[in-house]
Every structure is written in C-alpha cells, then in structure tokens.
Amino acid sequence: MGEFDFTVWGPSLPFIRDGLLFTLRLTLIAMTGGIVLGTLLALARLSPIAPLSWLAGAYVDTMRSIPLVMVILWFFLVIPFLTGTPVGAETSAIITFTAFEAAYFCEIMRSGIQSVPRGQVWAAQALGLTQAQAMIHVVLPQALRNMLPVLLTQTIVLFQDTSLVYAIGAKDLLKAADVVGKNYNRPVEMIVLSALIYFAICFSLSLAVRQLQKRVAIVR
Amino acid sequence: MIEIRNLAKAYGATPVLKGCSTSVAKGEVVVVCGPSGSGKSTLIKCVNGLEAFQGGSVSVDGISVGDPKTDLPRLRARVGMVFQHFELFPHMSVRQNLALAQLKVLGRDAAEADARATKLLERVGLAAHADKFPGQLSGGQQQRVAIARALAMDPICMLFDEPTSALDPEMIGEVLDVMVELAHEGMTMMVVTHEMGFARKVAHRVIFMDQGEIVEDAPAAQFFEAPASERAKTFLARILHH
C-alpha cells in the first residue's frame, strides 16, 4: 500500500467531464420523459375506464417491484432482441431510466392530482371547460406545483441511481472515474473524486429543494 | 328558464333527493334554504349537471341536463355558478381567472376577454386587484371575483351555492350587495343561502327543503309571514332568533 496520490485528478478531468455530462444528460432526459410519461400513466390510473386503469397500475407495480439494476440489464439485453438492431449502452440507459422513473413519477403525479380539491374541477366544469381542458388548465398545473419538492427529491434519487448504468458499461461519471483509476492505477483516488462530485451536486440540490419547500408553504 | 321535475338522487342506498319539482322563471330570484343535509346543495348542482341524478328531469332554457346527448360543457358555459369556497384558480391571477373560459370556451380573443374582465372587475369594485393572485385577496374579495368570473361568460342565469357561508361576518355584506344589484338588474338567480335578509329583500320565491324533499315553495312574503309547515316554522325560528 503506497500513499494516496491525488495528482491523478488533474489529467482525469476531461474524462470525468464527459462522464458527468452523460450522467446529467441521462438525469435530465429521464426526469423530463419520466414526468411526461408518469403524468400520462397517472391519468390512466385515475381513469374510469377499468382496463386502462388496470394496465397502468400493473405497469407501475411491476416496475416498482424489480430492482433497478435488473431492469437496466434486462432492457439492455431485450431491446436489441425486440428491435433486431443492437443499441448502445447509453441509448439503452436513457430508455430504461425514462421507463423506470415514469412509474415513480406516476405515483407522485397521482397524489398531486388527487391533492387538488374537487371544487376546482367543479368550478372549471361550471365555466364550460371540458374534462380535458379542466385537467390541462386547472388540475395539472396545481398538481405539478404542489408536488414540485417531491418531484425534485425523486430527481436527486434518480441522479444517484444513474451510477447503476455502470453495470452495462455506459460511460457515465462513475465509469469514467473507474476507467481513469484503472489506467493510472489509482482507483481509490478516482472513486473519492466521483463520490465528491455526486455529493456536491446532490447536497446543493437538496438545499435548493428545502428553500423551495419553504416558498411553496408560504404560497399556500 | 329552469325546470326541475321529480328529481331523485341517491348515494348508494342513501336517498339525497326524493322527487323534487320546482321551476325558476326568467328574471326570477329563488332562494333555497333548509337545514344542513337537506339536499339543497345537491339540488343546485344537478341544475348544471355537476351532480348526476338517477330519476326525474332537469332542463335549462329547454335543454335537458340529464340527456346523454346534451353537450354539457356548452350548456354549463351559459349557466353561471358561484361556490361556497370561491374556487378561484390559485395558480392564475385574477385577470387570468376571468379570461380562461372566455378564451377556451367562448373562443374570444385575448383583447376582448381582457376588456370584459376589466369591466366586470370594475363593477364588483376590484379593478385595482386584477393582477393579484387569489391568495392575496380576502374571502369577500375572492367571492366577488368569482361572481365576476361567472358573469364574464354572459350567463343566462346564475346559481349560487351558499356564497356567503365561508365568509367572516364583516365580509358577507360586500358579497350580498353585488348579488342584490344583480337581482335588481333582472338576472335569473337560484340561490342556496341562509341569508334571510337577502331573501326578504330580493327573492320572489323561497323554497324550503328538508331531508331531500321540497317541503315548501312559496312567494317570499308568504313564506316569512306564514310558513305552512311545522318544519319550516322550526327552521325559521332557529335561524332568525339569534
């Protein structure tokens, strides 16, 4: 065991930057896609059409009952099998995370929609808005606003979970740190660096969410 | 204008409305009162189809509310409604609250909708608050905005579901003033309320409900001076003597 040599951090930065950029891209796409898909799933779950509601419920329950790392591996193996062409680890990761996070965002949006008082829907309908218009202009904006802190907290979890794409070799922050660590034979230093980056980003996001929660509390 | 025939509704096995019949003529102001749980709020929500019903019929301006072929949103756009808890949209400014349905339902353009909104806000004395959000207004102000929002659709009649019940006593007057003015202008109004002063002042008829039935349906003066039923007498004695 030699001493720690943190000089390896210097030459590693371009690789770390590329890895971090992919991690951020994956997080943002999965968050946006997950919220959109999750909202549609939530509408389906709350729909009076029984088969639709059942199907959405089954999807959500399935996703939430399987460890994420297995879903990542499974999609990576199954998507090429279904489409006939191999997709890269990065594309596979983006699809997987969007599909997986949609299940969690669905549950958040569902309680968000249910948190909007029934009187709001009545008022919208009494003005002549259709059910769809009432949902789009009155219920969803309020649901989104009520759930903003929870949605962001889930996004922080998502950001951390993206490190699991390591399992399929996608070049994210952790993978970049791992590769550099192996090349320079300084794995511990590189793991420390990536951990610090994860920590700095998550911690500042958490602080931001706490501020936001205070503001939302005042608005109500 | 509003025709209600043998209206029946139940939540599961519990009947809420047991064959109610009445009508409101054009230009008429009808007050609906009765103890809580008597079905009066449910009755008024059946008029614009916010509550579904199982038996009987409701029609507004000759259009059947219960008919599945009726374009309910289109009918509701012509029937203004004011709720107990105001139900302004909290994520929109006062101006946007008044504009939303004008734009999305009536297809007015933004300038036209805004002009109509400004005019009605002036009328309820709140023009200075147009860019505030509902949360920044008092209850009385919110309810006046809600009335303006309903009027912005140029309704053929107005429904009020306990419009002053959620207000602090000192704010009830400002809302009732707007309603009295509306009544004097000849607006057709159906008003669920316990404000007997309002009823005496502007109501043409008073409907008294108890346990899902219309017990009394009489000209206002007659109802207050000589209520026919024991139940109405007890009710009046209870709410007027304190």
Side-chain angles (χ1 to χ4, degrees):
Chain A
M1 268 304 281
E3 303 207 328
F4 289 128
D5 176 10
F6 291 103
T7 56
V8 65
W9 287 9
S12 77
L13 283 181
F15 300 97
I16 291 293
R17 186 200 58 210
D18 289 349
L20 180 60
L21 282 179
F22 175 70
T23 294
L24 290 174
R25 195 158 68 95
L26 176 56
T27 306
L28 285 178
I29 296 176
M31 178 191 75
T32 317
I35 289 178
V36 171
L37 203 61
T39 303
L40 293 175
L41 279 170
L43 291 175
R45 272 203 96 161
L46 294 170
S47 149
I49 305 162
L52 197 62
S53 168
W54 185 87
L55 218 62
Y59 177 84
V60 170
D61 290 341
T62 308
M63 280 298 180
R64 302 214 310 169
S65 311
I66 302 175
L68 174 56
V69 70
M70 288 183 68
V71 181
I72 293 171
L73 282 169
W74 191 71
F75 266 63
F76 188 54
L77 298 172
V78 158
I79 292 172
F81 181 75
L82 288 178
T83 59
T85 45
V87 292
E90 284 77 16
T91 311
S92 176
I94 286 171
I95 296 171
T96 308
F97 268 90
T98 306
F100 188 80
E101 289 302 317
Y104 286 84
F105 284 123
C106 165
E107 292 304 275
I108 295 172
M109 285 311 290
R110 186 165 70 124
S111 48
I113 291 168
Q114 286 173 327
S115 75
V116 178
R118 192 164 172 212
Q120 288 283 306
V121 181
W122 275 338
Q125 290 186 332
L127 285 164
L129 295 176
T130 61
Q131 254 184 320
Q133 285 174 324
M135 192 47 85
I136 292 166
H137 299 293
V138 175
V139 178
L140 284 182
Q142 293 185 60
L144 207 59
R145 198 183 67 169
N146 292 350
M147 288 295 126
L148 204 55
V150 190
L151 289 169
L152 289 176
T153 305
Q154 178 64 30
T155 302
I156 296 172
V157 174
L158 160 65
F159 175 73
Q160 295 171 351
D161 284 353
T162 57
S163 58
L164 288 172
V165 299
Y166 176 88
I168 55 171
K171 295 183 193 67
D172 74 324
L173 175 58
L174 181 60
K175 183 76 185 173
D178 182 54
V179 168
V180 177
K182 280 187 177 133
N183 285 348
Y184 286 82
N185 202 22
R186 288 286 167 199
V188 178
E189 287 85 342
M190 289 313 297
I191 293 294
V192 169
L193 177 61
S194 56
L196 282 176
I197 295 173
Y198 278 115
F199 175 81
I201 293 176
C202 291
F203 188 67
S204 28
L205 280 175
S206 298
L207 289 181
V209 172
R210 216 172 295 164
Q211 284 303 315
L212 192 77
Q213 265 169 331
K214 275 185 206 155
R215 279 190 39 197
V216 170
I218 292 167
V219 172
R220 277 196 214 144
Chain B
M1 180 70 71
I2 300 171
E3 288 285 338
I4 300 172
R5 288 280 158 266
N6 271 319
L7 186 63
K9 179 180 173 66
Y11 290 117
T14 321
V16 200
L17 297 172
K18 309 171 192 164
C20 299
S21 297
T22 189
S23 64
V24 181
K26 190 170 186 302
E28 204 175 18
V29 177
V30 173
V31 160
V32 183
C33 63
S36 61
S38 58
K40 53 198 192 303
S41 270
T42 308
L43 177 76
I44 202 167
K45 285 198 185 81
C46 286
V47 173
N48 62 354
L50 288 182
E51 291 273 13
F53 47 87
Q54 286 97 33
S57 70
V58 176
S59 71
V60 178
D61 197 28
I63 299 163
S64 168
V65 176
D67 187 339
K69 277 175 279 181
T70 298
D71 183 350
L72 263 186
R74 202 168 145 193
L75 179 63
R76 286 176 184 143
R78 303 169 64 210
V79 179
M81 186 158 199
V82 174
F83 297 86
Q84 182 176 0
H85 297 287
F86 332 132
E87 306 299 353
L88 294 178
F89 306 133
H91 58 299
M92 295 181 189
S93 70
V94 166
R95 197 188 289 284
Q96 290 169 323
N97 262 280
L98 267 71
L100 178 68
Q102 292 190 68
L103 300 171
K104 303 293 172 194
V105 178
L106 299 182
R108 289 179 181 160
D109 62 44
E112 200 182 353
D114 197 57
R116 188 87 185 101
T118 306
K119 206 169 162 189
L120 284 161
L121 287 174
E122 271 166 19
R123 176 175 170 172
V124 297
L126 292 170
H129 301 277
D131 293 308
K132 289 190 179 166
F133 283 81
Q136 297 170 290
L137 301 179
S138 74
Q141 290 171 328
Q142 289 191 51
Q143 194 61 299
R144 279 144 68 201
V145 172
I147 295 173
R149 179 175 71 178
L151 292 175
M153 303 296 285
D154 298 318
I156 53 170
C157 61
M158 287 282 287
L159 309 172
F160 292 84
D161 186 9
E162 306 211 30
T164 57
S165 302
L167 294 175
D168 291 335
E170 76 269 21
M171 291 172 187
I172 291 175
E174 62 190 74
V175 171
L176 289 180
D177 286 346
V178 174
M179 291 169 61
V180 167
E181 208 184 297
L182 259 185
H184 285 152
E185 282 168 17
M187 175 63 81
T188 307
M189 292 163 68
M190 189 167 177
V191 186
V192 173
T193 185
H194 286 163
E195 293 297 328
M196 291 301 129
F198 171 82
R200 266 185 213 273
K201 203 188 281 180
V202 296
H204 298 104
R205 274 176 31 237
V206 176
I207 291 171
F208 172 73
M209 289 184 74
D210 192 20
Q211 294 172 9
E213 289 170 336
I214 292 181
V215 178
E216 214 154 322
D217 185 345
Q222 186 187 322
F223 177 77
F224 287 114
E225 271 138 50
S229 65
E230 274 313 309
R231 283 191 274 181
K233 275 179 204 164
T234 320
F235 174 77
L236 276 176
R238 211 176 291 151
I239 66 164
L240 294 178
H241 292 288
H242 69 85

